[in-house]
Every structure is written in structure tokens, then in C-alpha cells.
Amino acid sequence: MIWSIDFESDEAFYIQLRNQIIVGIAQERIREGDSLPSVRQLAESIGINMHTVNKAYSVLKQEGFIKLDRRRGAVIALDVDKLEATRQLQEELSVILARGICKNITREEVHDLVDVIYDYYAGKCRE
């Protein structure tokens, strides 16, 4: 998988990296049991500080997407606690939906966007 950082973005580098890994899992470009590059390798390959990669990996571990193994490094290991995942999703969506409401995006437009995005990832996972 190719990782990239938008150095012009206002979004923190570790969040960009975290999001790319989550999307990679959703699209099945990286799967349960796959090892991620070492912190040093990834930092060097995309031109960011090792601490930034380490922070992304730490967040992913806390969120239940990876585990840290002494021998294999960061490994995709999905912690499937649906109740907690649903709570986290609700928390994140609350802010996103509030932003949409502030920008006059209708409920129907939100539903259409959700359907398109969900179908995109669900379709990728079944291929």
C-alpha cells in the first residue's frame, strides 16, 4: 500500500496516516493479520517524523484497529466490539452532521452521501 501525506493540509499528519490505514482496511487493501511497515520505515518513506508515525499507530491501537507485537511490529487486528464501535461512530458523526446542518445540507443529501460512501466501501470489501 502506498502512503502519502498532504503537507499543505491543515489536518495533522498522524490523523492523515490513521485515516489512510482505516480506509485501507475498509477497502481490504490491508487485511487482518497483515503487518504495517515499521515506524522508522514508514517515517522515512513518506518524509515525516518517527514520532508522528508512532502517534498514528498508538491511536489505531487505542481504537482497536491494530495490535503491537514485539516480533512483527504493528499488525492489523480488528477489535470487534460493536457496541463500542457504534458509540464511537455516533460521537464522530455528531460533529460531522452538526457541520452539515450549519452549511444547510439537508437530511436527504446526508442520506444520499452515506449510501454512496457505504456502498463504495461495502462493494470493495466483497470483491
Side-chain angles (χ1 to χ4, degrees):
M1 188 163 169
I2 298 172
W3 316 103
S4 64
I5 296 296
D6 179 355
F7 292 96
E8 302 300 318
S9 174
D10 291 335
E11 188 170 51
F13 296 161
Y14 80 94
I15 295 293
Q16 290 182 48
L17 183 56
R18 167 198 168 257
N19 292 346
Q20 288 179 47
I21 292 169
I22 292 170
V23 168
I25 295 167
Q27 293 177 333
E28 292 190 337
R29 289 184 288 154
I30 46 179
R31 293 178 170 81
E32 181 94 18
D34 287 353
S35 293
L36 294 172
S38 73
V39 169
R40 174 166 289 162
Q41 287 172 330
L42 189 51
E44 287 176 3
S45 72
I46 57 179
I48 61 175
N49 190 292
M50 288 182 3
H51 296 293
T52 303
V53 175
N54 195 42
K55 185 168 184 174
Y57 283 4
S58 294
V59 171
L60 287 163
K61 181 180 184 286
Q62 289 171 353
E63 293 176 343
F65 290 99
I66 66 171
K67 68 178 180 177
L68 301 176
D69 181 284
R70 288 183 187 263
R71 286 168 277 168
R72 295 184 59 208
V75 178
I76 303 300
L78 302 176
D79 177 10
V80 186
D81 179 350
K82 189 170 182 177
L83 187 61
E84 178 60 18
T86 301
R87 186 199 63 74
Q88 288 177 348
L89 184 60
Q90 180 179 1
E91 188 176 298
E92 293 172 22
L93 279 174
S94 293
V95 174
I96 292 168
L97 291 174
R99 288 173 48 196
I101 289 168
C102 291
K103 299 291 185 174
N104 297 317
I105 298 172
T106 67
R107 177 187 304 262
E108 292 75 22
E109 290 170 323
V110 169
H111 286 195
D112 290 345
L113 283 170
V114 168
D115 288 343
V116 167
I117 294 167
Y118 193 91
D119 289 346
Y120 174 77
Y121 288 118
K124 290 287 186 180
C125 292
R126 292 188 191 111
E127 291 176 352

